Amino acid sequence: MTEAPTVQMFTKPDCVFCQAAKRVLTGAGIGYQELDTASAARLADSAVYFSGRLTVPQVFAGGRLIDAPGDLERLAAAGRLPDVVGSAAGELPLDSVPPAEL
């Protein structure tokens, strides 16, 4: 039996777009690991490192960025979100990036 891919989402408190992305994932029955960028500077730096963006939410499925929440909503509406997540493998190597690279 293979392990389900992990969806990781960089968020911050009180972000309405983050709340929307969470609703889409929850509504599609997809679990996720929430990475609160306000809780640690390393998470905030990691969000920028992996996506090249300063904004949240950032949703990664198997290390692949899904531009949230708009793309999440479109994928869910088309019934493709479970397939996209299901075809992803692995997760972001959060702990393997040296602080100097972030």
Side-chain angles (χ1 to χ4, degrees):
M1 178 180 231
T2 60
E3 185 177 319
T6 300
V7 173
Q8 296 167 292
M9 179 169 33
F10 291 100
T11 65
K12 66 180 180 180
D14 302 322
C15 167
V16 296
F17 299 109
C18 298
Q19 298 299 329
K22 291 177 197 180
R23 280 192 301 275
V24 170
L25 289 170
T26 301
I30 297 171
Y32 58 90
Q33 175 189 19
E34 185 172 359
L35 304 166
D36 180 357
T37 59
S39 71
R42 181 167 175 82
L43 286 176
D45 292 342
S46 294
V48 175
Y49 178 85
F50 287 110
S51 71
R53 299 178 181 185
L54 297 172
T55 59
V56 290
Q58 296 170 15
V59 178
F60 288 85
R64 182 182 342 158
L65 178 65
I66 300 173
D67 192 16
D71 284 348
L72 277 178
E73 291 168 348
R74 286 186 283 282
L75 286 168
R80 295 192 52 228
L81 186 56
D83 292 337
V84 169
V85 170
S87 68
E91 20 180 79
L92 295 173
L94 295 173
D95 297 329
S96 67
V97 180
E101 277 191 50
L102 295 176

